[in-house]
């Protein structure tokens, strides 16, 4: 029987972009996900993301029991904070290049918000002014292919982003993920958490890209110091789940299989 896995995407990348990763996890895992986080008016984007965490918990509560929570960047942090609040909803959490924010990180974020340099600390500044509309698919493909962020994407994942990251409008195509929402998510990155990560009651694994500019060494060290924490460096950058979806799926499977075996031995 397939195991329940709830995936949460990175900021700005609708879940459909990860279809190749989901396919690689099947049939061992029944992958659930929201099409887009942060777009339900019942759960608006506010400072420190309390409603985004509520949104995730709301959908986990509607499921069939505890899940393996897997998230990329934003999604990994949402799972971590949801698991701190509601550990009974989880079997374990795997963060894919998500920075497990330390007290120093949180102090720096608080200062950046207060003194107005949060757009330099997060990708918000690079998101401002991003092109949102395109005449046709060819124009969108050429635009994104020229961006360094997409340079190492698996070709199928790049095609999936064009399919799921854009939607038709009267005069062409437009980004499906609202740009203002994406910026608000960056600007409201938490400077507080529901509890200390040391209070986490489920296993936590961090997979971080060797060339990532998001997850730093101190983030990995902080996870490794947790009672049930582990960190593993993988090839690629911050977007490695979309650069190497098959290899990422295999790593997720291996971690979950080992956790499951440990639980069986402890039972």
């Amino acid at each position: 029987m397939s195991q329940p896995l709830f995936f949460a995407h990175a900021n700005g990348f609708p879940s459909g972009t990860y279809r190749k990763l989901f396919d690689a996890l099947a049939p061992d895992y029944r992958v659930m996900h929201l099409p887009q986080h942060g777009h339900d008016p019942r759960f608006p984007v506010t400072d420190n993301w309390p409603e985004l965490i509520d949104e995730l918990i709301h959908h986990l509560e509607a499921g069939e029991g505890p899940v393996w929570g897997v998230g990329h960047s934003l999604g990994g942090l949402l799972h971590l904070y949801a698991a701190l609040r509601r550990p009974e909803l989880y079997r374990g959490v795997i963060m894919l290049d998500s920075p497990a924010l330390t007290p120093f990180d949180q102090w720096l974020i608080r200062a950046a918000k207060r003194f107005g340099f949060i757009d330099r600390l997060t990708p918000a500044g690079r998101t401002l002014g991003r092109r949102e509309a395109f005449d046709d698919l060819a124009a969108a493909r050429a635009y994104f292919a020229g961006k360094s962020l997409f340079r190492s994407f698996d070709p199928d994942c790049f095609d999936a982003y064009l399919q799921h990251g854009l939607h038709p409008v009267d005069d062409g195509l437009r980004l499906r993920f609202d740009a203002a929402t994406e910026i608000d998510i960056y600007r409201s990155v938490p400077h507080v958490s529901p509890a200390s990560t040391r209070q986490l009651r489920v296993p936590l694994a961090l997979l971080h890209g060797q060339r990532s500019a998001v997850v730093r060494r101190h983030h990995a060290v902080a996870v490794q110091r947790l009672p049930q924490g582990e960190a593993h460096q993988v090839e690629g950058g911050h977007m490695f789940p979309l650069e190497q979806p098959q290899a990422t799926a295999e790593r997720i499977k291996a971690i979950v299989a080992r956790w499951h075996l440990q639980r069986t031995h402890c039972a």
Side-chain angles (χ1 to χ4, degrees), residues 35-48:
Q36 295 187 145
H37 290 262
H39 286 66
D40 187 333
R42 297 176 298 172
F43 304 101
V45 179
T46 58
D47 199 26
N48 296 308

Side-chain angles (χ1 to χ4, degrees), residues 10 44 85 92 110 115 144 147 159 180 185 197 201 209 221 246:
R85 280 174 46 184
R110 185 192 295 268
F115 296 106
F144 289 112
K147 298 296 182 182
D159 287 343
I185 289 173
T197 52
R201 290 164 47 192
V221 170
Q246 185 68 46

Side-chain angles (χ1 to χ4, degrees), residues 86-114:
R86 298 289 303 277
E88 74 278 8
L89 297 174
Y90 286 93
R91 302 182 182 194
V93 172
I94 300 176
M95 302 195 303
L96 308 178
D97 219 69
S98 307
L101 300 172
T102 65
F104 173 77
D105 293 322
Q106 293 172 334
W107 174 86
L108 183 60
I109 291 167
R110 185 192 295 268
K113 291 175 180 177
R114 180 175 180 182

Side-chain angles (χ1 to χ4, degrees), residues 174-186:
R174 192 170 186 85
L175 288 178
R176 187 181 301 275
F177 203 100
D178 180 63
T181 299
E182 182 178 352
I183 292 169
D184 285 346
I185 289 173
Y186 285 132

Side-chain angles (χ1 to χ4, degrees), residues 44-107:
V45 179
T46 58
D47 199 26
N48 296 308
W49 302 346
E51 283 82 7
L52 293 184
I53 300 167
D54 287 342
E55 179 182 33
L56 178 55
I57 289 174
H58 171 76
H59 290 279
L60 292 175
E61 287 177 331
E64 302 171 1
V67 302
W68 300 109
V70 179
H72 181 204
S73 194
L74 160 72
L77 276 176
L78 291 180
H79 273 308
L80 173 60
Y81 292 155
L84 284 169
R85 280 174 46 184
R86 298 289 303 277
E88 74 278 8
L89 297 174
Y90 286 93
R91 302 182 182 194
V93 172
I94 300 176
M95 302 195 303
L96 308 178
D97 219 69
S98 307
L101 300 172
T102 65
F104 173 77
D105 293 322
Q106 293 172 334
W107 174 86

Side-chain angles (χ1 to χ4, degrees), residues 5 7 21 25 69-77 80 93-100 203-217 219-224 228-256 258-259:
L5 184 153
F7 183 86
L21 174 64
L25 288 167
V70 179
H72 181 204
S73 194
L74 160 72
L77 276 176
L80 173 60
V93 172
I94 300 176
M95 302 195 303
L96 308 178
D97 219 69
S98 307
L204 174 67
L206 168 64
L207 299 180
H208 57 106
Q210 184 179 23
R211 300 190 304 276
S212 174
V214 174
V215 173
R216 304 295 188 177
R217 183 177 181 276
H219 297 128
V221 170
V223 171
Q224 288 174 320
Q228 299 185 77
E230 57 187 81
H232 308 276
Q233 188 176 82
V234 302
E235 185 181 347
H238 180 57
M239 304 305 292
F240 75 82
L242 295 170
E243 296 168 349
Q244 303 173 55
Q246 185 68 46
T248 302
E250 293 305 318
R251 284 186 171 271
I252 292 169
K253 290 179 180 180
I255 290 171
V256 170
R258 176 162 45 79
W259 284 349

